[in-house]
Amino acid sequence: MSAIEIRNLTKRFSTVTALDDLSFSVPEGEIFGFLGPNGAGKSTTINMLLGFTQPTAGSASVFGYDAQTESKRIRERTGALLEGYGVYERITAREHVARAIRVKDTDDDPDDILARVGIPEAADRKAGGLSKGMRQRMAIGMALVGDPDLLVLDEPSTGLDPNGTRELRDVIREENRRGATVFFSSHLIDQVEAVCDRVGILKDGQMVTEGSVTDLRAQLDAATVTVKVEEAAPGPLLGDLREIHGVEEVEATDNQILVSARGGDAKLQALNRIERAGVGFADFTTDDPSLEEIFEVATLGPREDRRRDPAVEATAEGDA
Amino acid sequence: MTWQTVLNDDLLGVRRSRLGQGVAATMFVFTAGIAILVALAHYSTPGGEAPPFDTIMLLIGSLLSLILPFIAMLGSYGAIIQERESGSVRFLLGLPNSRFEAYLGKYLSRSVLLTVATAVGFVVVAAVGFGVLREPDVVNFLLFVLLTLGFGVLFVGFGLALSAALDSETQVTTGIISTYVLFRGVWPVLQWGGLWLTRSEGEQSVRPYPEWYFYLGRLDPMNAYVKLVNVLFNDDQFHPLITNPQAAEVDYLAVGEWYSLATLVVWLVVVPIVGYLVFDRKDVL
């Protein structure tokens, strides 16, 4: 069974369409990365999953429970860390966790939970006086109460330092090993890439790409070969390289030639051509497309398209 | 049931907040404070006769009719909107609390805050009333306490309903001020406007007033409360805060105590229910 099932979900706020006929599902036991630029509709999706807002059309369900009519049942089995939460200023960290324990009616120990998220010393401090990172750890702790079957984490690394981010990844993996499905929403690609089995990329309220990170890499496949040379590459060489089947893009600086190509054959031919050209071949590196590039292509379109259309590029920069 | 958790958690936060402490202190001042002043005045004038119990209770009741609605709404207006504005609603409703449980817990918490503060004040009032004042009446006093607690909770309902139904703290603040102005200022204007529209010139204020004038007037919960306090402690004689029926008007059903009591019960029940129904359907984020 799917942990999360979203069908034709649409949400309109007066004039803005936040989600446009969105459909996807997350199988039980998976760590799903929900990616998208700011304003893509990630939090709107989560708010509807947990019953904070009602869909304009379509439906969302979690473990078979309808998000509109059986929201409480969903939240009984879910631990949620939601972006934009605010703490109860006058309530201590321990009381926050204890609150979650009482509502969920579990036998967790608040101090154990606070220790697990690395802030045992903050237990008796009022949340209003905690640093951003400590609040975030406390909120993560609250989400872990009751060993939920689903963890919904919306931008969970907000406010965390690099150690906190690494510990968060460990917690996510531990929870997943225990059997929890993890729905991880973020605009930080490296965070998602590090832990997720599968990702979906949301843009303007629509899922533009969905699949495992490996599959998505294969789809894109264009890798860049960076060749170090001793002399500037002459124009005819660059022309030759562009002629090679599979080569998409060639750029050169004084001592570098960058070739974007699909498939190993094209890359090898390009390397041979450069070597024979006598420009002082020194070394080369290749990079596989990172999730970041996948993200970039999915949300902004292929690079060459953007280059041809300056308007698109201008918009992209404006968003960044 | 998780409404108990919401109730306890909210009370804890309220107890630690300045607003919660302020509400409690203000209620104490307007009940116990007055009683203490009366007692001090009495003991500082040796040989003087203690004032009558009924007079002081009428004074306290009349003051409360003006003050209590505002204090009650102040104590409850933030219950939900402040959680939405601070973002803590993501905990309140991200945890498995249903909207109903959250709303009920908040309603009870804010009602407890006001009720306890009022009741503590009334303990002092009782000490002075039965220890110092002339001709105290236990039954009327207990009825007065019940009536006043109900009157306070009625306005907790207004504050909470507005807090749950509107979308910003500014709106809710405007809402509670408007509610107060409606019952204290606009209501008499409506009554006079009605007379002005339905009667010919020069006869607008001729008694007896039509029956609807009282049906409308006593539908105002503040008027209804004053009417009942006036019955308890003033034998339903003249009271400056309400229109006092004259001659044939005294036979209208609307000027009787049961109409006023029914009015209070209806407001007490309907307002929080309407607030909940709006809250239950709305997007809170």
Side-chain angles (χ1 to χ4, degrees):
Chain A
M1 190 175 70
S2 296
I4 296 175
E5 188 75 54
I6 287 180
R7 284 203 201 100
N8 310 106
L9 199 62
T10 298
K11 179 67 181 179
R12 275 188 284 275
F13 298 104
S14 57
T15 56
V16 184
T17 301
L19 287 183
D20 188 4
D21 202 29
L22 179 69
S23 297
F24 68 95
S25 64
V26 178
E28 279 191 54
E30 186 171 87
I31 305 183
F32 183 81
F34 197 39
L35 276 166
N38 297 328
K42 301 189 299 292
S43 292
T44 304
T45 307
I46 289 171
N47 289 342
M48 282 195 280
L49 270 182
L50 298 178
F52 288 101
T53 48
Q54 305 297 326
T56 308
S59 69
S61 68
V62 177
F63 300 121
Y65 296 117
D66 182 78
Q68 269 181 286
T69 57
E70 298 166 297
S71 175
K72 186 178 170 172
R73 292 231 173 272
I74 291 175
R75 287 177 282 132
E76 278 166 356
R77 296 183 58 182
T78 303
L81 169 67
L82 302 174
E83 204 203 0
Y85 69 85
V87 298
Y88 295 98
E89 304 262 328
R90 295 174 205 88
I91 306 293
T92 66
R94 183 190 286 113
E95 285 164 346
H96 270 85
V97 178
R99 187 169 282 207
I101 292 171
R102 268 179 284 128
V103 177
K104 288 197 157 178
D105 197 18
T106 70
D107 55 4
D108 289 292
D109 180 342
D111 291 321
D112 289 349
I113 299 249
L114 289 173
R116 187 170 172 204
V117 294
I119 48 165
E121 75 285 359
D124 290 314
R125 288 175 56 187
K126 290 192 177 150
L130 297 179
S131 71
K132 184 85 185 70
M134 289 172 114
R135 290 181 189 198
Q136 189 73 2
R137 285 164 182 261
M138 180 189 84
I140 293 168
M142 290 174 77
L144 297 178
V145 165
D147 294 338
D149 297 321
L150 171 68
L151 264 180
V152 174
L153 306 171
D154 194 1
E155 302 286 0
S157 51
T158 308
L160 295 181
D161 59 22
N163 288 334
T165 311
R166 182 175 40 72
E167 288 168 39
L168 171 69
R169 281 202 295 271
D170 292 342
V171 165
I172 290 175
R173 291 200 188 98
E174 282 163 25
E175 289 295 298
N176 182 245
R177 233 173 285 138
R178 174 178 65 72
T181 308
V182 182
F183 186 78
F184 185 149
S185 160
S186 182
H187 69 281
L188 298 173
I189 295 142
D190 51 339
Q191 295 295 319
V192 171
E193 192 169 15
V195 290
C196 292
D197 302 321
R198 214 157 55 86
V199 297
I201 298 177
L202 195 68
K203 184 198 173 191
D204 297 336
Q206 289 178 312
M207 198 68 101
V208 284
T209 305
E210 198 188 344
S212 73
V213 176
T214 327
D215 287 349
L216 293 181
R217 279 213 180 102
Q219 265 178 38
L220 205 65
D221 198 17
T224 304
V225 186
T226 307
V227 187
K228 278 197 183 152
V229 289
E230 281 159 5
E231 296 163 28
L237 170 62
L238 301 184
D240 280 355
L241 292 172
R242 288 198 183 94
E243 294 298 305
I244 299 170
H245 182 71
V247 168
E248 293 185 340
E249 210 180 311
V250 178
E251 281 176 68
T253 62
D254 282 350
N255 50 9
Q256 271 193 340
I257 305 173
L258 282 80
V259 181
S260 290
R262 280 175 188 276
D265 200 37
K267 287 176 220 163
L268 185 62
Q269 280 190 45
L271 281 172
N272 285 333
R273 204 67 64 90
I274 295 167
E275 204 253 320
R276 285 200 304 265
V279 285
F281 177 88
D283 199 358
F284 75 95
T285 54
T286 64
D287 6 287
D288 282 330
S290 65
L291 186 56
E292 189 162 341
E293 283 166 66
I294 296 171
F295 181 82
E296 198 180 306
V297 170
T299 54
L300 298 176
R303 280 185 182 163
E304 54 267 37
D305 289 0
R306 272 180 278 148
R307 202 145 301 170
R308 266 179 236 126
D309 184 355
V312 173
E313 189 145 45
T315 316
E317 275 167 15
D319 281 347
Chain B
M1 288 301 283
T2 67
W3 60 262
Q4 289 161 324
T5 313
V6 177
L7 162 63
N8 292 332
D9 290 344
D10 191 60
L11 264 184
L12 185 65
V14 164
R15 281 210 327 260
R16 288 178 190 170
S17 78
R18 281 218 192 99
L19 188 68
Q21 291 158 2
V23 164
T26 313
M27 277 318 296
F28 190 78
V29 166
F30 278 95
T31 49
I34 294 168
I36 291 166
L37 281 181
V38 169
L40 286 176
H42 172 61
Y43 285 119
S44 64
T45 49
E49 201 183 20
F53 181 82
D54 281 4
T55 306
I56 301 304
M57 293 305 138
L58 186 66
L59 171 69
I60 292 177
S62 304
L63 275 175
L64 286 179
S65 82
L66 299 173
I67 297 293
L68 187 51
F70 210 78
I71 302 298
M73 289 193 288
L74 265 185
S76 58
Y77 88 99
I80 286 164
I81 195 65
Q82 283 174 348
E83 293 230 16
R84 285 178 62 194
E85 294 217 330
S86 76
S88 57
V89 72
R90 290 177 174 84
F91 292 135
L92 179 69
L93 295 176
L95 290 168
N97 294 309
S98 68
R99 296 263 175 117
F100 178 73
E101 287 158 346
Y103 188 88
L104 179 65
K106 292 281 183 183
Y107 182 58
L108 294 176
S109 157
R110 305 303 166 117
S111 297
V112 166
L113 166 74
L114 188 75
T115 299
V116 168
T118 312
V120 168
F122 273 136
V123 169
V124 178
V125 171
V128 173
F130 294 96
V132 179
L133 304 180
R134 271 191 296 136
E135 300 164 42
D137 182 331
V138 180
V139 174
N140 278 4
F141 181 75
L142 290 178
L143 288 174
F144 173 56
V145 171
L146 279 180
L147 171 67
T148 303
L149 296 181
F151 182 61
V153 172
L154 187 163
F155 280 93
V156 168
F158 269 109
L160 180 73
L162 291 165
S163 191
L166 299 178
D167 286 317
S168 75
E169 196 165 337
T170 312
Q171 285 179 13
V172 178
T173 309
T174 310
I176 62 171
I177 294 171
S178 304
T179 304
Y180 191 85
V181 170
L182 170 69
F183 291 134
R184 199 57 265 165
V186 175
W187 214 268
V189 173
L190 285 177
Q191 288 173 275
W192 280 103
L195 288 180
W196 195 78
L197 287 173
T198 54
R199 290 181 152 189
S200 50
E201 194 156 337
E203 290 177 4
Q204 278 108 348
S205 56
V206 173
R207 308 297 283 257
Y209 291 146
E211 212 162 344
W212 66 257
Y213 178 92
F214 287 97
Y215 273 108
L216 177 62
R218 301 290 167 92
L219 208 56
D220 180 330
M222 292 165 84
N223 290 344
Y225 174 76
V226 169
K227 156 74 187 179
L228 292 172
V229 168
N230 204 38
V231 169
L232 288 174
F233 299 120
N234 196 26
D235 294 328
D236 211 9
Q237 301 300 303
F238 177 83
H239 194 291
L241 288 178
I242 51 176
T243 309
N244 298 276
Q246 297 173 4
E249 293 166 359
V250 297
D251 293 328
Y252 295 161
L253 177 68
V255 302
E257 54 264 37
W258 294 110
Y259 182 78
S260 290
L261 189 62
T263 290
L264 292 178
V265 170
V266 169
W267 284 113
L268 180 68
V269 173
V270 169
V271 171
I273 290 177
V274 170
Y276 168 70
L277 292 176
V278 175
F279 179 56
D280 191 39
R281 286 159 177 71
K282 80 179 297 139
D283 289 355
V284 295
L285 285 179

